[in-house]
Amino acid sequence: MKRVLIIDMLNMYYRAYIVDPSLSANGQPIGGIKGSLGILQKLIRETKPDQVVICWDGAGGSRRRKTINKNYKEGRSPIRLNRSVRNLSENEEIENKVWQQTRLAEYFNEMPIIQLMVENVEADDLIGFICKFTDISEQQKVIVSSDKDFFQLIIEKFGIHPNNFALARAMVGDRSDNIEGVKSVGLPTVAKRLPFLVEEKSYTIGEVVEYCKNSESKLKAFDNIIEAEETISENYKIMQLYSPF
């Protein structure tokens, strides 16, 4: 079976940019470029892919998600560099970060790599979208990202089937993206109290709410889910990766 390596590149670039203090001969920080290329080299060596696809967040972020929830990703802390020596001002660091990202994209254009960026669409949505392409859907896919949304595409974990993972996370929420979930409901609670979500069938929010209403177990978690149906529905529209636009 052919294998395709799919990378959430901005995610990987920021990790390299934050931790690698490397400087060029003229004293310019280049850790984002150097670190990203090093990570890519290691990934290719370890996974031996037939094809590499790099996805970037498009300018403006996710218009779809911001339309659903205007507070999406608001209040995130600024990037903090993991080093003691700082040789640039704050504005110079911003300019350098953009310069490194631009140069990295230019380098990728010279490589046998597919590179994608769509305005107002985030990389995770692009990845979810391209995984459905006919010539890729039959290949083994290795997705590189720290975004938990990808659990719905690739694995069975937490006792929840991938087909129902977005629904589970819609109940739990995601603090990193400023998405409020159901009070006192985490993934272990979802797996324990809604065990049918381990099944391959894709359950709906309505079916989960009906289960909670009809359950003989009078649990506070069920009451909270029932009361938060509208919030869960909104979160699901934000979190699902099957429709990026």
Side-chain angles (χ1 to χ4, degrees):
M1 178 183 292
K2 288 189 174 181
R3 178 179 299 145
V4 56
L5 175 64
I6 309 173
I7 301 173
D8 181 347
M9 194 60 223
L10 190 61
N11 182 295
M12 192 170 89
Y13 166 70
Y14 277 159
R15 286 173 176 268
Y17 171 80
I18 289 169
V19 303
D20 193 325
S22 298
L23 300 176
S24 66
N26 64 1
Q28 285 280 30
I30 56 171
I33 296 173
K34 177 173 172 286
S36 294
L37 292 175
I39 294 170
L40 178 61
Q41 183 182 43
K42 184 174 187 291
L43 288 171
I44 291 174
R45 184 172 64 248
E46 291 181 348
T47 64
K48 297 179 173 58
D50 298 282
Q51 189 174 29
V52 177
V53 180
I54 284 175
C55 297
W56 293 94
D57 285 359
S62 175
R63 176 185 294 168
R64 175 179 67 85
R65 288 169 172 163
K66 290 178 180 178
T67 299
I68 296 170
N69 183 346
K70 65 180 181 180
N71 296 317
Y72 175 66
K73 285 193 175 179
E74 288 293 325
R76 278 191 161 186
S77 300
I79 292 175
R80 297 177 61 184
L81 300 180
N82 184 22
R83 62 202 66 153
S84 58
V85 178
R86 308 284 283 273
N87 65 340
L88 300 179
S89 68
E90 185 175 341
N91 287 337
E92 288 173 334
E93 282 184 354
I94 293 173
E95 292 177 0
N96 175 266
K97 180 179 67 176
V98 174
W99 172 78
Q100 288 195 60
Q101 183 181 345
T102 302
R103 290 303 302 270
L104 189 61
E106 291 172 349
Y107 291 154
F108 289 150
N109 281 338
E110 302 301 319
M111 301 178 187
I113 288 173
I114 296 174
Q115 192 169 199
L116 302 173
M117 178 189 290
V118 178
E119 187 175 355
N120 295 312
V121 177
E122 292 184 342
D124 56 352
D125 287 316
L126 277 180
I127 294 171
F129 186 69
I130 65 175
C131 281
K132 298 186 294 183
F133 284 1
T134 302
D135 57 343
I136 290 181
S137 62
E138 300 303 320
Q139 297 185 40
Q140 182 185 44
K141 291 169 282 293
V142 179
I143 298 175
V144 180
S145 176
S146 63
D147 195 323
K148 295 183 179 67
D149 287 336
F150 289 117
F151 283 131
Q152 65 187 281
L153 295 179
I154 55 175
I155 66 171
E156 294 183 32
K157 196 174 182 180
F158 306 110
I160 300 168
H161 194 279
N163 290 347
N164 295 307
F165 198 79
L167 176 57
R169 291 203 65 229
M171 288 183 266
V172 175
D174 188 340
R175 290 186 179 180
S176 67
D177 285 341
N178 200 29
I179 299 174
E180 290 293 329
V182 179
K183 185 178 179 181
S184 302
V185 172
L187 286 176
T189 299
V190 171
K192 181 178 180 180
R193 302 304 183 188
L194 306 172
F196 54 89
L197 294 183
V198 74
E199 299 171 13
E200 186 176 358
K201 173 187 173 182
S202 295
Y203 283 90
T204 66
I205 297 163
E207 287 174 321
V208 169
V209 171
E210 282 302 307
Y211 177 88
C212 293
K213 287 180 178 178
N214 298 327
S215 175
E216 295 180 359
S217 302
K218 304 302 179 183
L219 300 174
K220 183 60 176 176
F222 287 171
D223 292 337
N224 291 345
I225 289 172
I226 294 168
E227 293 172 5
E229 181 176 3
E230 186 175 337
T231 297
I232 297 169
S233 179
E234 180 180 287
N235 290 353
Y236 182 79
K237 291 175 184 177
I238 293 173
M239 291 177 164
Q240 60 82 23
L241 297 180
Y242 301 104
S243 177
F245 306 107

